[in-house]
Amino acid sequence: MAVVRLKDAFVSYYVRAKGGAGGGGRSAVGAQILKRSRYYELSALRGINLELCDGDRVGLVGTNGSGKSTLLKVCAGALLPRSGIVHIEGRISPQFGLGSGMRPALTGRQNAELKCLYLGVSQTEIHRSVEEIKLLSGLGDYFELPIQTYSAGMKSRLVMSLLKLVRGDVLLMDEWINAADPSLNTTVGNLQEELIRRSKILLLASHSKRVLEEWVDKIVWLDRGEVKAIGRVEEVYPDYQKWIKSKASR
């Protein structure tokens, strides 16, 4: 069983204050800025209550700086709340960027081996897994060359093939979904779909209506670190779009 539970969670970032800045407050975008005596407090999440369990497919929407990425990082254990409770059950699989952790000076093979180690693939299985990745990617001899020599499409092929290694009960995704090279073969293209379908809980941030309608049942709408609305896609997303248009027309 997988569980994600946040109760009255607050998350802040702190920046040293310089000069005689003003008293802080709210801006058109981003977190609320609070001026303290020697530092600024950026209130990134404020009083978040969220509970997810097996079978939940949830999307995060909101403008830049609304707290989507911060919420994902809290669920991944990369950030601790200033106050409140964060309780996670199940293996977390954070997928925050297609190329995160890749080392340009290393070959495709060496990067695949490092990814195996990072994801906990046993030593006895690494060689087999790397050969499978090479075959899936279709890179041929380029697999043995530094990835700094790759085109953007070749890098996409390698990274999407690495999805074969990913396992987790709670899948956290930030924006990159469906960003793969359209020339990828069907097997590699299906890895992303398989990854999503086998996860027990999906929590993804996306601005794409198509992606949200395809992969999630419920939306959490964040604004300046607070939950503005939670509900089914067809209920919340139209209101979110109207709100975005009204902000743009001001």
Side-chain angles (χ1 to χ4, degrees), residues 16-72:
R16 184 184 299 276
K18 295 183 180 180
R26 287 180 177 266
S27 58
V29 295
Q32 182 178 7
I33 301 173
L34 305 174
K35 177 68 169 66
R36 306 304 187 188
S37 59
R38 297 183 179 179
Y39 60 90
Y40 292 108
E41 178 184 345
L42 281 65
S43 187
L45 294 178
R46 307 174 67 221
I48 301 296
N49 291 288
L50 182 66
E51 184 160 352
L52 309 178
C53 58
D54 284 1
D56 281 338
R57 298 288 186 263
V58 179
L60 301 177
V61 298
T63 57
N64 293 336
S66 61
K68 303 187 299 298
S69 294
T70 298
L71 179 53
L72 289 172

Side-chain angles (χ1 to χ4, degrees), residues 187-246:
T187 302
V188 175
N190 286 341
L191 289 177
Q192 182 174 268
E193 182 175 344
E194 292 174 10
L195 176 61
I196 292 172
R197 293 196 185 283
R198 68 174 175 249
S199 64
K200 294 181 179 179
I201 294 174
L202 171 66
L203 185 61
L204 72 88
S206 179
H207 293 290
S208 169
K209 180 182 179 182
R210 178 182 61 82
V211 167
L212 293 168
E213 288 178 336
E214 182 176 1
W215 292 115
V216 307
D217 304 313
K218 186 187 298 184
I219 284 179
V220 176
W221 173 6
L222 293 172
D223 180 36
R224 295 175 182 175
E226 298 179 316
V227 174
K228 193 174 181 70
I230 299 179
R232 298 191 63 81
V233 177
E234 62 270 21
E235 297 169 350
V236 175
Y237 197 79
D239 290 339
Y240 171 65
Q241 285 185 310
K242 291 178 183 177
W243 181 77
I244 290 292
K245 291 179 180 178
S246 69

